[in-house]
Amino acid sequence: MRFALFADIHGNLEAFQAVLGALREERIDSYICLGDIVGYGANPGECIELVKDLDCVTIAGNHDWAAVDRTSMDYFNPYAREAVLWTRNQLRQENQDFLKGLELIHRFDCFTIVHATLKAPEKWKYIFSISDALQSFQLLSNPILFVGHSHVPVVFEENGGYRYYFSQEVDLEEGRKYIINIGSVGQPRDRDPRATFCLYDTESHQVKIRRVEYNVEEAMRKIVEANLPPVLAWRLKDGE
Ligand SMILES: [Fe+2]
C-alpha cells in the first residue's frame, strides 16, 4: 500500500492544490489527513471541500475544532484567534458539521495518526523533544505514529534508546518505533516555504517527506485582501 499523508493545510488553497498535483504523479492507494484543514489561510471552505472529495480518513486539529467551538482558544495567540473567528464566519453549516465530527485519533493496522500527542490529544501539546515523545511512544500500539501540529517535519525513533533527526527519507527497521511529524502543507515553519507532505510505502518500508513549490504570492495576497492579520501572509514567504 502507498499512503499519502498531509497535515496543517490551514486554508492555504494554493499550497494544497500544489500538493494534490504532485500526488497525481504518484501511485497512491489511500489519502490521509492529519488535521488543521482550516485557520490562518483565506480559503478554509475550499480546502475542506477538497479533503472531502478525497474521501480520506481525517482527524481533527486544534484549529478545526476551535473553528466550530469544540475546543478552547485560551492558548491561541491573538493572530491565530482572529483567524479562527474569521474562519468560523466563512464556513457553511455542512462544513462546520464536518469539522465537528472529526475524531482525534485513528489507528490503522500498521500505524496510528494523531494531530498532537497520544496522551490527552485534546490538550494539543507539541512533540518537540525526546521527553515530549516518551508518553506517545508508551501509548503507541503499532510501529509508527504520524503527527502534525508543529509544522516542522522531524523523526523520533525508539531503538532501545531514543534519538531524533531531520530526514527526507526514513528506511523503517523492524523492531523499532517511530514518531514522524509530516510537516505542514499550508504554513511550513522550518524556513523552507515549500508545501510539505508525506508518502508511506508499506512494501518498501519507506517514509518520504516531499516538498513542492506553490504560488506563495497568491496565498499571501488573499490573506491581506481578506483583512486577516498581515503577519499570517508574511510568514508564508520565509516558511516560519
Ligand atoms: Fe497547525
Side-chain angles (χ1 to χ4, degrees), residues 156-197:
F156 293 89
E157 188 179 305
E158 184 188 86
N159 52 10
Y162 296 94
R163 66 178 184 135
Y164 75 95
Y165 48 94
F166 303 91
S167 175
Q168 301 295 303
E169 291 199 16
V170 185
D171 291 310
L172 303 167
E173 305 256 359
E174 186 108 35
R176 298 187 181 183
K177 280 184 169 184
Y178 300 86
I179 296 176
I180 301 176
N181 190 306
I182 63 169
S184 167
V185 172
Q187 198 196 73
R189 292 180 190 158
D190 58 347
R191 295 188 156 269
D192 180 341
R194 293 176 300 168
T196 316
F197 61 99

Side-chain angles (χ1 to χ4, degrees), residues 8 10 36 63 115 149 151:
D8 295 283
H10 281 296
D36 274 3
H63 290 252
H115 188 70
H149 199 33
H151 302 199

Side-chain angles (χ1 to χ4, degrees), residues 57 94 108 110 119 129 140 160 173 181 196 209 212-213 235:
V57 171
E94 199 183 309
F108 296 82
C110 52
K119 172 90 175 168
S129 65
L140 184 59
E173 305 256 359
N181 190 306
T196 316
I209 300 293
V212 61
E213 305 225 2
R235 67 186 305 177

Side-chain angles (χ1 to χ4, degrees), residues 41 54 69 85 111 113 119 149 160 179 187 231:
L54 292 171
D69 209 12
L85 294 173
F111 63 95
I113 57 171
K119 172 90 175 168
H149 199 33
I179 296 176
Q187 198 196 73
V231 65

Side-chain angles (χ1 to χ4, degrees), residues 27-192:
R27 181 179 54 78
I28 300 299
D29 299 305
S30 192
Y31 292 85
I32 297 170
C33 176
L34 268 64
D36 274 3
I37 305 168
V38 304
Y40 300 133
N43 291 108
E46 291 84 346
C47 289
I48 294 174
E49 297 293 341
L50 284 176
V51 169
K52 281 162 46 176
D53 288 347
L54 292 171
D55 196 23
C56 56
V57 171
T58 304
I59 52 169
N62 48 325
H63 290 252
D64 301 321
W65 271 16
V68 292
D69 209 12
R70 208 184 150 178
T71 195
S72 164
M73 275 198 291
D74 289 351
Y75 60 94
F76 275 48
N77 70 48
Y79 306 120
R81 187 174 302 142
E82 190 177 335
V84 163
L85 294 173
W86 179 89
T87 298
R88 192 175 290 173
N89 285 323
Q90 305 297 310
L91 297 180
R92 56 194 177 92
Q93 191 60 47
E94 199 183 309
N95 285 340
Q96 291 188 31
D97 293 344
F98 175 79
L99 296 183
K100 249 179 226 167
L102 296 177
E103 57 188 338
L104 286 170
I105 299 175
H106 191 92
R107 289 184 177 86
F108 296 82
D109 288 343
C110 52
F111 63 95
T112 299
I113 57 171
V114 69
H115 188 70
T117 69
L118 284 184
K119 172 90 175 168
E122 74 285 357
K123 292 193 172 155
W124 313 111
K125 301 278 189 204
Y126 291 91
I127 300 179
F128 284 131
S129 65
I130 286 169
S131 66
D132 295 336
L134 288 178
Q135 284 182 320
S136 289
F137 271 126
Q138 281 161 11
L139 292 166
L140 184 59
S141 54
N142 48 29
I144 315 171
L145 175 66
F146 290 105
V147 301
H149 199 33
S150 73
H151 302 199
V152 176
V154 60
V155 181
F156 293 89
E157 188 179 305
E158 184 188 86
N159 52 10
Y162 296 94
R163 66 178 184 135
Y164 75 95
Y165 48 94
F166 303 91
S167 175
Q168 301 295 303
E169 291 199 16
V170 185
D171 291 310
L172 303 167
E173 305 256 359
E174 186 108 35
R176 298 187 181 183
K177 280 184 169 184
Y178 300 86
I179 296 176
I180 301 176
N181 190 306
I182 63 169
S184 167
V185 172
Q187 198 196 73
R189 292 180 190 158
D190 58 347
R191 295 188 156 269
D192 180 341

